[in-house]
Amino acid sequence: MIGWMCHTPRWAVISVHVIAAVLLFVGAPAHVADLLSRGLHPYAWAPSWLNLYWSSLALFDTLAAVFLIRGDRLGIDLACAIVVTDRAANWYAVYDIQHSSFTAQPGLQRLTVFAALVLGTAPFIRRHLT
């Protein structure tokens, strides 16, 4: 067991691992798969800056998860930054580019729930990380 886990409440350790697992096993692989199959601009309908942002999440999702598992505060800070910016980017894509809605986009719904989990637990988790 990594040192920080021994002295941290069980709920905080579980929260960190859930967040890290989602970032590592859902977020990063999806962005890596997009990069490998379609390059830096996987979505023809999206502007270049948005494609580059989503492609960069292959790296940032992985970094946040690794920092979380190590018990670094930078992990939860990076996870918060990721969910806020990713949610904003996806909302922009859904409403302004695709002219769709929240109810028609299950991916955006899942991202919103995940963002609520990360942002809701971050203040409590952060104080237990180094």
Side-chain angles (χ1 to χ4, degrees):
M1 197 181 276
I2 299 174
W4 71 274
M5 291 182 203
C6 298
H7 308 291
T8 305
R10 187 173 176 82
W11 65 267
V13 173
I14 291 169
S15 297
V16 163
H17 282 94
V18 166
I19 293 167
V22 171
L23 288 169
L24 274 173
F25 297 116
V26 177
H31 298 294
V32 169
D34 286 343
L35 274 171
L36 294 176
S37 66
R38 293 174 272 187
L40 287 175
H41 297 84
Y43 305 104
W45 52 265
S48 291
W49 65 269
L50 197 51
N51 273 298
L52 292 174
Y53 169 74
W54 282 324
S55 294
S56 75
L57 291 180
L59 172 66
F60 291 119
D61 283 353
T62 304
L63 282 175
V66 169
F67 287 138
L68 278 168
I69 291 167
R70 287 182 42 198
D72 293 336
R73 283 186 181 156
L74 182 57
I76 197 64
D77 295 342
L78 187 53
C80 288
I82 289 168
V83 297
V84 167
T85 57
D86 194 21
R87 188 163 177 267
N90 279 280
W91 273 88
Y92 172 73
V94 166
Y95 287 101
D96 290 341
I97 298 173
Q98 297 176 332
H99 305 290
S100 186
S101 68
F102 179 76
T103 55
Q105 300 290 331
L108 183 57
Q109 294 168 10
R110 287 188 297 272
L111 179 60
T112 300
V113 170
F114 181 61
L117 170 74
V118 172
L119 297 172
T121 60
F124 306 104
I125 292 171
R126 193 172 192 284
R127 71 179 128 193
H128 297 291
L129 302 176
T130 57

